[in-house]
């Protein structure tokens, strides 16, 4: 038998030959292909492991480069989704956990979400396989060649799910497949009570724009802080409470107060000894400084700005007993800006407390103002900002002050401070100077 006037070489028993880029084995199985795919993955991931790159950059390389090398295999070989899930997905998950310093039992499903839902847009080989199968069926279905179309029709029984997506009346098969994958993630995450708590609350309290901004800020931070933010998001930090649960230590008590369980909430917001030593006040004042650096620029637009920080204009002459953190006045108008650096799940309670505290602040004021504006700003321990921030944005209208930069710096400072509070969780506090990032 000849092809292009050349004899087709004989194939020994157990061997394979390559034709048009595809391997054909003597016994027509995919053993060698699966072995090649596994070796290819091991090669790329071990190489990435050795590179001194930020974890997010490694994930981007996986999504854009590594997966581009396997799409061809998925298009020309009928590899089962079960095998890809068990073998290739497992390799990806193993290295992702390693790069992000997740413990072995940590869930990585949330990383598949888009950045507006606290994800990193991580894809898995099984997802690439689903899209490859869909593309292949679409090519066969829309081929101008009659015999190719017959091949599509004759194999419908084997590809029911893909064909149902292709024949959907909305006519957007890729979007529909994306929605199916997202729903599967939602269903899975919905069953995880603890690891989904912060994300669930913050999705309600923050806008998608803020969540995306937070994700971008985290990506730009050093690797250790980035990993801290991703672990804290799913309650996966190696706190004493977690280490005890993972059977790594013998008790879960806080090493500072020696009374309460050392949970993430306790470390970042609730330890009385930590509060007395000034850890939380240091974080609060650092965020307050970042905000006021930009707010004080309103002085150039006819406003008078005050802040409750050492070295700045004091507004004690305005009030008898209450001390809001930032006060802005202009032509009979008074703006009260009250900052809270709260835990993610306590935003609503913090706002209620502040609203109740300052509900009658006008009666405590020495002067009379025609218009009062109370703005409650919540910047969480991980640097997320609630939707209430929109009321602060209105003050910057018709100015050249960089509001977005102010917001980004305040979020970054909160996260950096919480990371430092966390790494000092077992040590005495060293009273550092407040962070003055702007």
């Amino acid at each position: 038998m000849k092809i292009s006037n050349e004899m087709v070489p004989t194939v020994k028993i157990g061997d394979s030959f390559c034709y048009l880029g595809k391997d054909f084995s003597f016994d027509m199985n995919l053993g060698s292909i699966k072995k090649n795919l596994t070796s290819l993955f091991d090669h790329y991931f071990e190489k990435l492991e050795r590179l001194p790159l930020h974890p997010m950059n490694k994930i981007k390389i996986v999504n854009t480069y590594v997966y581009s090398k396997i799409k061809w295999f998925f298009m020309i070989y009928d590899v089962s989704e079960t095998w890809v899930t068990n073998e290739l997905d497992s390799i990806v998950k193993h290295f992702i956990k390693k790069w992000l310093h997740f413990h072995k039992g940590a869930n990585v499903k949330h990383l598949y979400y888009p950045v507006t839902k606290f994800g990193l847009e991580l894809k898995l080989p099984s997802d690439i396989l689903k899209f490859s199968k869909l593309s292949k069926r679409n090519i066969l279905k829309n081929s101008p060649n009659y015999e190719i179309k017959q091949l599509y029709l004759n194999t419908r029984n084997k590809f029911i799910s893909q064909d149902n997506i292709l024949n959907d009346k909305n006519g957007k098969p890729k979007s529909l497949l994306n929605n199916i994958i997202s729903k599967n993630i939602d269903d899975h995450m919905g069953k995880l009570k603890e690891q989904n708590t912060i994300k669930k609350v913050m999705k309600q309290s923050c806008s998608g724009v803020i969540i995306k901004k937070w994700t971008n800020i985290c990506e730009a931070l050093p690797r250790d802080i980035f990993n801290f933010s991703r672990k804290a998001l799913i309650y996966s930090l190696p706190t004493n409470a977690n280490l005890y649960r993972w059977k790594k230590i013998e008790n879960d008590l806080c090493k500072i107060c020696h009374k309460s369980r050392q949970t993430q909430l306790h470390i970042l917001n609730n330890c009385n000894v930590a509060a007395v030593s000034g850890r939380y006040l240091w974080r609060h004042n650092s965020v307050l400084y970042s905000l006021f650096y930009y707010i004080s620029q309103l002085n150039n637009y006819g406003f008078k700005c005050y802040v409750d920080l050492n070295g700045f204009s004091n507004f004690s002459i305005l009030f008898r007993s209450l001390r809001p953190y930032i006060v802005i006045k202009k032509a009979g108008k008074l703006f009260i800006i009250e900052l809270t650096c709260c835990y993610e799940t306590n935003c609503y309670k913090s706002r209620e407390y502040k609203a109740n505290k300052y509900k009658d602040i006008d009666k405590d004021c020495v002067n009379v103002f025609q218009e009062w504006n109370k703005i409650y700003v919540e910047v969480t321990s991980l640097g997320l900002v609630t939707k209430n921030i929109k009321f602060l944005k209105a003050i910057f209208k018709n100015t050249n002050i960089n509001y977005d930069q102010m917001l980004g710096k305040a979020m970054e400072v909160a996260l950096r401070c919480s990371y430092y509070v966390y790494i000092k969780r077992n040590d005495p506090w060293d009273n550092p100077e407040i962070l003055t990032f702007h």
Side-chain angles (χ1 to χ4, degrees):
M1 183 176 178
K2 292 184 177 181
I3 295 179
S4 300
N5 291 323
E6 292 186 11
M7 291 293 297
V8 174
T10 57
V11 180
K12 296 179 181 179
I13 295 176
D15 280 357
S16 63
F17 70 94
C18 182
Y19 178 63
L20 296 179
K22 181 176 180 178
D23 282 335
F24 295 86
S25 64
F26 186 86
D27 50 7
M28 298 301 290
N29 66 28
L30 296 173
S32 62
I33 302 305
K34 291 177 179 178
K35 186 177 179 180
N36 289 341
L37 276 170
T38 304
S39 298
L40 189 67
F41 260 62
D42 286 337
H43 167 73
Y44 283 126
F45 278 89
E46 286 171 6
K47 191 171 184 178
L48 277 172
E49 172 69 13
R50 294 191 296 270
L51 294 175
L53 297 176
H54 192 283
M56 195 60 226
N57 290 333
K58 292 184 178 183
I59 291 173
K60 288 178 179 178
I61 290 172
V62 171
N63 278 342
T64 57
Y65 178 77
V66 176
Y67 289 156
S68 70
K69 299 297 181 181
I70 65 168
K71 286 180 180 178
W72 172 249
F73 287 89
F74 289 166
M75 289 292 287
I76 63 175
Y77 298 110
D78 192 18
V79 185
S80 74
E81 189 174 328
T82 301
W83 180 84
V84 173
T85 300
N86 292 339
E87 299 296 328
L88 302 187
D89 283 9
S90 297
I91 295 173
V92 175
K93 291 176 182 179
H94 167 75
F95 280 97
I96 293 298
K97 288 181 181 181
K98 198 172 183 181
W99 297 337
L100 296 177
H101 293 179
F102 282 5
H103 69 91
K104 290 182 179 179
N107 190 280
V108 296
K109 278 275 186 181
H110 66 286
L111 300 178
Y112 313 157
Y113 278 126
V115 292
T116 54
K117 292 185 176 182
F118 291 108
L120 298 180
E121 298 183 348
L122 171 68
K123 295 180 178 64
L124 289 177
S126 56
D127 297 327
I128 305 301
L129 176 66
K130 290 171 187 174
F131 281 101
S132 297
K133 283 185 175 182
L134 189 66
S135 295
K136 183 161 62 174
R137 293 301 292 171
N138 190 46
I139 291 169
L140 295 177
K141 178 185 177 182
N142 295 300
S143 173
N145 186 287
Y146 172 78
E147 293 179 347
I148 297 296
K149 278 193 174 181
Q150 284 301 120
L151 178 62
Y152 165 77
L153 295 172
N154 293 338
T155 54
R156 281 182 297 180
N157 292 336
K158 289 182 63 179
F159 301 95
I160 295 173
S161 60
Q162 288 84 9
D163 289 350
N164 284 340
I165 293 172
L166 283 176
N167 296 319
D168 184 78
K169 61 182 180 180
N170 292 323
K172 295 181 179 180
K174 288 187 176 180
S175 296
L176 184 57
L177 180 55
N178 259 325
N179 292 338
I180 292 171
I181 293 172
S182 294
K183 186 181 183 304
N184 289 338
I185 299 171
D186 289 339
D187 292 342
H188 179 84
M189 294 303 299
K191 298 173 184 177
L192 302 175
K193 183 178 179 180
E194 185 179 70
Q195 294 188 31
N196 198 36
T197 300
I198 290 178
K199 295 190 298 298
K200 184 178 180 180
V201 172
M202 287 293 95
K203 284 176 187 175
Q204 297 170 349
S205 302
C206 305
S207 66
V209 173
I210 289 293
I211 295 173
K212 183 177 181 180
K213 188 179 189 70
W214 179 83
T215 305
N216 292 336
I217 289 169
C218 292
E219 288 181 21
L221 290 172
R223 176 173 52 193
D224 289 345
I225 304 179
F226 173 78
N227 287 346
F228 163 79
S229 69
R230 300 312 308 188
K231 287 185 287 186
L233 199 60
I234 58 170
Y235 285 114
S236 193
L237 288 170
T239 62
N240 284 351
N242 276 340
L243 292 171
Y244 178 76
R245 185 171 62 177
W246 301 334
K247 296 179 170 48
K248 300 292 185 181
I249 57 176
E250 294 182 357
N251 74 74
D252 57 3
L253 290 179
C254 172
K255 295 292 181 68
I256 299 175
C257 69
H258 304 288
K259 293 180 180 179
S260 301
R261 295 173 65 239
Q262 194 196 63
T263 62
Q264 182 172 308
L265 169 60
H266 182 78
I267 293 170
L268 298 180
N269 292 80
N270 269 19
C271 179
N272 289 332
V273 176
V276 170
S277 67
R279 301 177 190 225
Y280 309 144
L281 179 62
W282 169 75
R283 177 180 60 199
H284 178 278
N285 286 347
S286 295
V287 176
L288 186 62
Y289 177 90
S290 296
L291 290 172
F292 192 71
Y293 175 83
Y294 293 90
I295 290 173
S296 64
Q297 295 174 32
L298 289 169
N299 288 326
N300 300 323
Y301 296 88
F303 292 84
K304 181 64 177 175
C305 304
Y306 305 88
V307 65
D308 189 16
L309 281 174
N310 291 333
F312 289 89
S313 298
N314 193 294
F315 49 75
S316 57
I317 58 172
L318 292 175
F319 301 98
R320 297 182 180 89
S321 58
L322 295 173
R323 292 181 64 84
Y325 288 116
I326 296 176
V327 175
I328 306 171
K329 67 174 185 176
K330 181 182 181 181
K333 294 182 180 180
L334 198 71
F335 298 86
I336 304 297
I337 302 173
E338 190 61 18
L339 169 68
T340 306
C341 292
C342 53
Y343 195 68
E344 280 66 27
T345 55
N346 290 337
C347 292
Y348 180 74
K349 289 182 179 179
S350 299
R351 192 181 316 132
E352 266 194 333
Y353 170 78
K354 288 296 178 76
N356 186 60
K357 180 179 179 180
Y358 292 105
K359 65 180 179 180
D360 296 322
I361 192 172
D362 55 319
K363 297 177 182 178
D364 190 62
C365 189
V366 174
N367 306 109
V368 176
F369 291 92
Q370 298 172 352
E371 183 179 330
W372 284 77
N373 296 274
K374 302 169 189 175
I375 302 171
Y376 303 106
V377 177
E378 295 92 27
V379 181
T380 73
S381 53
L382 295 181
L384 286 152
V385 179
T386 61
K387 295 174 183 176
N388 269 16
I389 197 70
K390 66 184 179 182
F391 298 110
L392 178 58
K393 186 176 183 179
I395 303 177
F396 289 82
K397 189 177 180 181
N398 300 321
T399 72
N400 293 323
I401 303 171
N402 196 329
Y403 168 82
D404 288 331
Q405 189 171 333
M406 176 196 71
L407 196 58
K409 287 301 175 184
M411 294 166 72
E412 178 187 344
V413 165
L415 183 52
R416 283 182 178 272
C417 289
S418 289
Y419 172 70
Y420 191 68
V421 168
Y422 168 74
I423 64 172
K424 299 289 287 185
R425 65 193 180 280
N426 298 323
D427 302 319
W429 189 241
D430 49 3
N431 296 309
E433 294 291 325
I434 65 169
L435 298 188
T436 54
F437 290 4
H438 51 76

